[in-house]
Amino acid sequence: MDDIRIRPIGVINSPYTDRANMPIQPCGARDVAGRIVIEEALAPGLKDLEGFSHIYLLYHFHMSTGFDLTVVPFMEPAERGLFSTRAPRRPNQIGLSIVRLERIEGNTLHILDVDVLDGTPLLDIKPYFKTFDAFPEAISGWAEAHQNKAGQVRSDTRFVSPKT
């Protein structure tokens, strides 16, 4: 396969400067404020986004290197296949979060529920559509029994240094 080149469109700012003890999902960062600064030339692309309450952020896990195909996720002590987890050490270090959009000022988006490390390169923004993106009947595999923990569990150092 050919390599794919992706250029960041902006940067995510948050109060989290250390990967340890961060929330592992936006539900653990309820009301935590952050902001996104988009490249000035891309600001016209933000037109009409302010009408959405939530947005998807696709970003680069810029502090993550290497990966293992099996990992012990934050919410459970058992080893799991990498692709059945949201572990940050991945072949293509792409992260995904749904955050609340508070307001837009020029090329700056003010967001809430941010669970991302400060200075994270933003790759894309997509609007959240409640009719397209919500599946109440969805089943979450091994994590089904642990979902209520996601808001309380914090990261540790298990994904900071590559093992391979």
Side-chain angles (χ1 to χ4, degrees):
M1 269 191 220
D2 293 332
D3 285 346
I4 298 170
R5 297 192 64 183
I6 296 176
R7 186 176 67 86
I9 64 169
V11 65
I12 303 169
N13 297 120
S14 81
Y16 305 111
T17 57
D18 187 344
R19 290 178 281 175
N21 204 33
M22 287 180 54
I24 63 166
Q25 293 298 317
C27 64
R30 192 78 175 144
D31 296 326
V32 173
R35 68 184 187 133
I36 300 166
V37 179
I38 300 290
E39 285 187 28
E40 190 73 43
L42 301 176
L46 298 173
K47 182 182 182 296
D48 302 317
L49 187 62
E50 195 150 8
F52 289 86
S53 65
H54 292 75
I55 55 175
Y56 284 100
L57 303 181
L58 294 158
Y59 49 88
H60 176 59
F61 284 124
H62 66 295
M63 298 299 289
S64 180
T65 58
F67 64 93
D68 296 301
L69 293 175
T70 58
V71 299
V72 177
F74 290 122
M75 294 190 304
E76 192 192 22
E79 192 169 72
R80 301 291 179 178
L82 175 65
F83 299 120
S84 76
T85 75
R86 294 191 175 183
R89 292 185 57 240
R90 312 184 74 76
N92 285 315
Q93 294 116 1
I94 296 172
L96 168 72
S97 291
I98 299 173
V99 298
R100 287 186 289 155
L101 178 59
E102 192 174 39
R103 69 184 185 283
I104 300 173
E105 296 174 339
N107 66 324
T108 301
L109 291 83
H110 296 268
I111 58 174
L112 295 170
D113 307 339
V114 63
D115 67 331
V116 180
L117 189 65
D118 187 54
T120 296
L122 180 67
L123 303 176
D124 204 355
I125 299 169
K126 296 187 184 293
Y128 178 89
F129 290 90
K130 64 183 175 184
T131 54
F132 301 171
D133 299 330
F135 297 93
E137 74 282 4
I139 298 170
S140 301
W142 65 265
E144 195 74 23
H146 304 287
Q147 291 186 53
N148 61 340
K149 294 181 195 174
Q152 291 84 34
V153 174
R154 293 292 185 250
S155 65
D156 53 31
T157 59
R158 77 182 76 188
F159 298 115
V160 172
S161 300
K163 293 187 226 171
T164 57

